[in-house]
Structures are given as structure tokens and as C-alpha cells.
């Protein structure tokens, strides 16, 4: 007896759902359009023309994901903001070299496509692109039965930006006496969530409980702050010598990435306010200070290094742009065998 014919849907892939998602995405992407976009979502490849105001453009690219923060998003139904996280992790990275983010692409992979959930995620991606001033120019949705547990998905993001060759920020101008400014984070951003989840397993808090005026779930899933617009504006008026996006590795492992071998950044721990979330995580997990500093941002999402004479002006401009910026330390000559970032 002949068997019934099989379809792609029988194998677990719903082409109609994929088409429906594309229809939901297109208006979201249109809101992010900017100069340079020639062709976006819908083609085999997205086309982008580097703005003509650049004389010697250098393209700067970055890619990242959201990490195990996604596991909390699955547990707490927090799909609306992880897309912002996805954009932030890449655009903040390319920003530190002086690059203006131009366009962004995403990759969304799941076992079975839930159009409503995917649309919520992409809505966050589009919002992140608006905050960064870049175009959501394309992406890929992959429905792969059996690859992911029901209700779960994975994300990857790709950002491309441009900077004038003469304006690349690489840390070479940093010298002893320069000042380190720290820009406030919005929370844990998208790093250290494997430890966060381990602490939550131990503490077992109510995610809906009040936590300093906000539900705990909202604090845990607060999206990564996007620093692009205020820092691009700062670079137009103040000579920024170096920047470090404080991601995995915290302050102690990210600041050395922009320092020459002979320099050390000495940070004053009491110079900034650590958000209550980090104090709670440290207490509930019994986490040592040194471990906190190398896992979490501890309240500083971006570090900016400027000459001492420019520090006050930079702080004032950042404050006017809505950023909280503290003077958290200074750069000095490095002694033999000394770490490149010291928190005292």
C-alpha cells in the first residue's frame, strides 16, 4: 500500500509561517531606513552605499549574540527586549573604534517558528537599530525541527559601520595622566547570565516581586544600553583617545584591550554607584569582589579615556545627552608585573 505524500510542513517546517513573519518584519525594518540603503529585506542580498561624506572610509564590522540571557527570556516571557541586546552588543563594539554603525543583519534560528514570538524579537531588533541610527537591512530566519527545544530560539547579529581612516580610535594616543570616564550601564547587559541563572537557582526569588521600585524580572531583563549617538556626538567635539565596551570580562579584562603594554588604568571603586542588582547578586551568590569585577560590568557599560583637560567638558556633554558619566580613574605608567587594570 502506498504511503501518503509528505510535505515540508510534515517535516516540521512551515513555509507559510515564514512568509507571514517576513510580512510582519518589513514595516519594522522600514522604520530604520537611513541614507545609503539601496535594497533591503526581500532580496538575496542587501545593498548599501557608503555615505559620500566619507573621504577615506574604513569599514568596521562586529558580530555577537545574546548568550544565556535568552534562557531567562524563555522562562520569563521576555521576548520584547532581547533584540535590543542583540543590536547593542555589536554596535557598541564597533563604536569603540570610532565607527558609525551603518547597517545591521540578524539571524533567528528555532525548532518551530512561532510568528508572534519572532515578531516580538525582531521588533526589539528594529528598536535597537533606531537607537543606534543604523538600518535593519536584512537577516535570516531558520526553522530547524529537532535542533532546539520547544519554545526556544537562538540569535546572532552582525553590524557594519564606517570611520574615516584618519579618525580611527585605537588607543595609541593614550598617555599617563589621562582620565577614565565610566558611563552607567542599564543593568547586567548581556554578560554573566550563566552565573546570574545559577544564583537565581539558589535564591529562588519571585520574579514579580518589587525590586527597588521595579519588578525583578524587568531588572533582570533590562536591555543593554546603546551608547552610539551620545558618543558619536562626543567624538565630534572632544578628542576621545580610547573606549572600551564593558562586556564579558568586566572592567578588568576589557580596558586593557585599548591600553599599550606600558600603561595601567587605576580605577577607584567608590567613584561610581553600583546598581542594587549587582549587590544582590553578590550577596545571594557569595561572589568575591574580584570575580564580580571580571564577570559583570558592575554598573559601568562603557569606558571612555580622554585627556585630563577634556574630562570635565566630556562629562558635561554626556550628561546633557542623558548619560550618567563618572570620573572613575586615571591612566599611569605600568610597573613590572602589574595588571593593566587595577580596582582600588
Amino acid at each position: 500500500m502506498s504511503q501518503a505524500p509528505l510535505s515540508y510542513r510534515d517535516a516540521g517546517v512551515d513555509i507559510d509561517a515564514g512568509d507571514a513573519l517576513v510580512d510582519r518584519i518589513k514595516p519594522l525594518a522600514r522604520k530604520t531606513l537611513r541614507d545609503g540603503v539601496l535594497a533591503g529585506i526581500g532580496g538575496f542580498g542587501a545593498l548599501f552605499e557608503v555615505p559620500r561624506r566619507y573621504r577615506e572610509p574604513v569599514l568596521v564590522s562586529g558580530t555577537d549574540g545574546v548568550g544565556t540571557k535568552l534562557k531567562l527570556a524563555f522562562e520569563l516571557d521576555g521576548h520584547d527586549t532581547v533584540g535590543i541586546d542583540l543590536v547593542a552588543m555589536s554596535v557598541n563594539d564597533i563604536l569603540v573604534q570610532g565607527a558609525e554603525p551603518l547597517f545591521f543583519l540578524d539571524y533567528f534560528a528555532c525548532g518551530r517558528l512561532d510568528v508572534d514570538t519572532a515578531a516580538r524579537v525582531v521588533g526589539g531588533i528594529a528598536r535597537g537599530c533606531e537607537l543606534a541610527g543604523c538600518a535593519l537591512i536584512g537577516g535570516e530566519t531558520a526553522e530547524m525541527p529537532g535542533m532546539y527545544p520547544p519554545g526556544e530560539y537562538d540569535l546572532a547579529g552582525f553590524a557594519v559601520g564606517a570611520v574615516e581612516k584618519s579618525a580611527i580610535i585605537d588607543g595609541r594616543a593614550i598617555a599617563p595622566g589621562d582620565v577614565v570616564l565610566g558611563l552607567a550601564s542599564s543593568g547586567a547587559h548581556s554578560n554573566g547570565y550563566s552565573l546570574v541563572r545559577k544564583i537565581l537557582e539558589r535564591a529562588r526569588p519571585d520574579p514579580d516581586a518589587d525590586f527597588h521600585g521595579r519588578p525583578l524580572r524587568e531588572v533582570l531583563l533590562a536591555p543593554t544600553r546603546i551608547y552610539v549617538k551620545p558618543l558619536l556626538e562626543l567624538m565630534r567635539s572632544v578628542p576621545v583617545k580610547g573606549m572600551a565596551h564593558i562586556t564579558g570580562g568586566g572592567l578588568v579584562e576589557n580596558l586593557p584591550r585599548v591600553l599599550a603594554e606600558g600603561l595601567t588604568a587605576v580605577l577607584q571603586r567608590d567613584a561610581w554607584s553600583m546598581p542594587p542588582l549587582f549587590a544582590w547578586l553578590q550577596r545571594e551568590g557569595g561572589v568575591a569582589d574580584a570575580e564580580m569585577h571580571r564577570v559583570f560590568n558592575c554598573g559601568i557599560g562603557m569606558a571612555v579615556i580622554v585627556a585630563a583637560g577634556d574630562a570635565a567638558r566630556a562629562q558635561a556633554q554626556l550628561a546633557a545627552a542623558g548619560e550618567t558619566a563618572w570620573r572613575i580613574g586615571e591612566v599611569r605608567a605600568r610597573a613590572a608585573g602589574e595588571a593593566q587594570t587595577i580596582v582600588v
Side-chain angles (χ1 to χ4, degrees):
M1 184 170 60
S2 62
Q3 294 181 314
L6 292 174
S7 68
Y8 215 4
R9 187 190 293 268
D10 294 325
V13 179
D14 189 341
I15 295 175
D16 292 334
D19 292 340
L21 179 60
V22 171
D23 289 339
R24 296 269 289 272
I25 289 172
K26 284 181 177 179
L28 300 175
R30 276 197 294 270
K31 293 172 64 178
T32 72
L33 291 181
R34 52 157 295 158
D35 61 307
V37 178
L38 301 180
I41 289 175
F44 286 97
L47 302 178
F48 192 95
E49 180 180 40
V50 177
R52 295 182 181 181
R53 68 177 182 275
Y54 287 97
R55 299 183 302 275
E56 291 184 288
V58 174
L59 297 181
V60 185
S61 59
T63 182
D64 211 335
V66 181
T68 58
K69 188 175 187 177
L70 285 179
K71 297 290 283 187
L72 274 186
F74 304 151
E75 294 170 18
L76 302 178
D77 190 34
H79 306 289
D80 298 286
T81 56
V82 289
I84 299 177
D85 286 300
L86 185 69
V87 175
M89 297 306 289
S90 287
V91 297
N92 284 342
D93 272 359
I94 67 173
L95 172 68
V96 302
Q97 291 171 292
E100 170 198 6
L102 298 176
F103 61 86
F104 187 85
L105 299 96
D106 72 281
Y107 176 78
F108 179 100
C110 59
R112 182 177 180 181
L113 181 60
D114 182 313
V115 175
D116 288 337
T117 297
R120 290 169 65 188
V121 173
V122 177
I125 294 171
R127 177 57 182 155
C129 287
E130 289 183 75
L131 292 171
C134 64
L136 177 57
I137 200 172
E140 172 69 13
T141 302
E143 189 174 21
M144 299 182 286
M147 287 289 288
Y148 299 92
E152 296 195 3
Y153 54 82
D154 199 9
L155 294 173
F158 313 88
V160 174
V163 60
E164 288 287 0
K165 190 173 184 178
S166 61
I168 294 172
I169 297 175
D170 56 14
R172 292 183 187 180
I174 298 172
D178 287 342
V179 168
V180 182
L181 302 178
L183 276 64
S185 67
S186 54
H189 285 185
S190 296
N191 299 103
Y193 273 84
S194 293
L195 180 54
V196 170
R197 290 170 48 243
K198 196 71 177 176
I199 294 170
L200 291 174
E201 287 177 10
R202 175 185 291 186
R204 297 186 179 279
D206 177 0
D208 294 312
D210 177 79
F211 189 87
H212 298 269
R214 299 164 63 193
L216 178 59
R217 69 170 65 234
E218 184 179 309
V219 175
L220 290 168
L221 291 175
T224 305
R225 192 164 183 82
I226 292 175
Y227 300 98
V228 171
K229 292 181 180 180
L231 285 181
L232 286 177
E233 188 61 34
L234 180 69
M235 285 183 267
R236 294 185 186 105
S237 58
V238 175
V240 173
K241 294 188 174 188
M243 292 184 283
H245 184 201
I246 310 305
T247 56
L251 283 161
V252 296
E253 292 187 8
N254 282 291
L255 265 172
R257 298 169 69 178
V258 297
L259 295 174
E261 283 293 322
L263 298 176
T264 288
V266 181
L267 309 181
Q268 303 294 327
R269 179 60 197 86
D270 61 357
W272 76 92
S273 301
M274 188 166 73
L277 173 64
F278 296 108
W280 182 85
L281 290 169
Q282 183 169 24
R283 183 179 67 251
E284 294 296 326
V287 184
D289 285 346
E291 186 74 355
M292 291 293 294
H293 293 151
R294 67 193 293 263
V295 174
F296 299 116
N297 66 59
C298 293
I300 302 295
M302 182 74 76
V304 179
I305 300 174
V306 297
D310 293 324
R313 182 159 58 105
Q315 275 186 280
Q317 182 171 326
L318 289 167
E323 298 296 327
T324 299
W326 296 281
R327 184 169 175 155
I328 64 172
E330 66 176 21
V331 177
R332 63 167 170 78
R334 181 185 183 192
E338 189 174 44
Q340 280 199 285
T341 302
I342 301 169
V343 182
V344 297

